Amino acid sequence: MSSVVRPIALAASLTTAFLFAGCGATADDSGNGRPAAAAFYPLAWVTGRVAGDGWSVQNLTQPGQEPHDLTLDVAQTAALERAELVVLEEGFQPAVDETAANVEAPVLDAASVVDLQPTAEDHADDGDDHGDDQRDLDPHFWLDPLLVADFGDAVGDELAEVDPDNAETYAANAADLRRDLETLDTEFSEGLATCERSTVVVSHEAFSYLSRYGLDFEAIVGLSPDAEPTAADLARLEQLVASDGVTTVFSERLGSAKSAETLAGDLGVTTAVLDPLEGLSDETSDEDYLSLMRENLTALQQANGCS
């Protein structure tokens, strides 16, 4: 089995169950079907698509909440305790990792079933040949539709382990999801095939998985969206914007736009939003992964003069 299963039982008390019931269901949990818990939006969306109507998938990260900063309240902890499957990406949200280590349900770690790529800094490091165990891996795999399809297959396999009677349903749902994602991949490949520019300046290092469509992403800060750029970082980006004819500096919906707006203002270029899809915002709470990725595609085409 591909998941990491942690068998330490955590008995939920009557008090906790009462508090959870009093909090009500979240927007991602209808209260019907077998319960599952997913750490943040892309994982919840995939799990819901593959699980189908027989499951109720609760997204632990609510719209408008920055997933990196997630702390679990009583209701979210209870959701993990009652879940028959927990889906997370180890290392992305320490609070979820810590609590999930003590649940009795199987835990599917996306990082264990998807081929994560090194960070941009690690790609650029042509010095000492450090081993794979020392590499920094970029967690944002969900920006590559084909890796999302691979993850969907793993979710289907895990659900079949939990519920063998409906294994064919999960396999069929995963196949449907893959078809949608392969269509999206084709749209990106064709939509970004002919562009005037390839350099894209973004707020933080979250978009490297889109590089396989021929774009070069330059981040103002690294993997942490809360980091502050140095004077040297800004000077390098200012030179890059000027030399490559960059027209747009991208900010994000959930993170601060200050650095992007400051850089764009200093250089007289525009700003726009490129969504890393780490979580939904209040503005996008009614959208889904596919629609948000297509909005990203449109934004990239406009910024880079793609025909």
Side-chain angles (χ1 to χ4, degrees), residues 257-290:
K258 179 180 177 182
S259 295
E261 291 173 349
T262 299
L263 180 63
D266 290 343
L267 297 174
V269 299
T270 62
T271 59
V273 171
L274 198 64
D275 197 334
L277 275 79
E278 294 176 345
L280 296 175
S281 67
D282 294 334
E283 178 185 357
T284 62
S285 60
D286 292 332
E287 297 198 52
D288 70 2
Y289 173 88
L290 296 173

Side-chain angles (χ1 to χ4, degrees), residues 26-40:
T26 70
D28 299 288
D29 181 7
S30 65
N32 300 318
R34 303 177 70 160
F40 56 100

Side-chain angles (χ1 to χ4, degrees), residues 96-122:
V96 176
D97 295 347
E98 181 179 356
T99 303
N102 296 310
V103 301
E104 62 181 1
V107 177
L108 177 62
D109 173 18
S112 72
V113 298
V114 173
D115 290 329
L116 299 181
Q117 68 181 25
T119 63
E121 288 93 342
D122 196 83

Side-chain angles (χ1 to χ4, degrees), residues 75-147:
Q76 292 164 317
T77 300
L80 282 169
E81 293 175 7
R82 67 189 285 266
E84 295 183 38
L85 175 64
V86 175
V87 183
L88 51 75
E89 185 172 11
E90 193 164 315
F92 193 73
Q93 294 171 299
V96 176
D97 295 347
E98 181 179 356
T99 303
N102 296 310
V103 301
E104 62 181 1
V107 177
L108 177 62
D109 173 18
S112 72
V113 298
V114 173
D115 290 329
L116 299 181
Q117 68 181 25
T119 63
E121 288 93 342
D122 196 83
H123 275 306
D125 183 7
D126 53 8
D128 292 338
D129 183 18
H130 45 72
D132 287 351
D133 59 334
Q134 294 179 321
R135 295 187 309 171
D136 291 325
L137 298 177
D138 187 338
H140 302 89
F141 75 90
W142 54 87
L143 289 172
D144 182 335
L146 297 185
L147 289 180

